[in-house]
Amino acid sequence: MKQTQNSPQFKIRFFDESDHQKVKRIAEQENRSITYVVNQAIKLFLQTKEALK
């Protein structure tokens, strides 16, 4: 899915620096951006919530 100029943006603040480092390490290992990894995590979270309804 290609992003457009109108894609919503959100500045994220990690509550725990170790969580940030883990996400950063995963992104580097998968040759992806932190944004990509966070977006995948959000999708998984939303799928889980939807499944519980």
Side-chain angles (χ1 to χ4, degrees), residues 14 16-26 28:
F14 286 85
D16 188 332
E17 179 61 25
S18 68
D19 290 342
H20 177 239
Q21 292 305 315
K22 289 174 187 176
V23 171
K24 185 176 178 180
R25 189 169 47 249
I26 290 167
E28 289 171 353

Side-chain angles (χ1 to χ4, degrees), residues 30-45:
E30 297 185 2
N31 198 30
R32 297 286 190 171
S33 67
I34 291 175
T35 300
Y36 176 86
V37 173
V38 170
N39 273 284
Q40 293 304 305
I42 291 168
K43 286 183 181 200
L44 181 59
F45 172 80

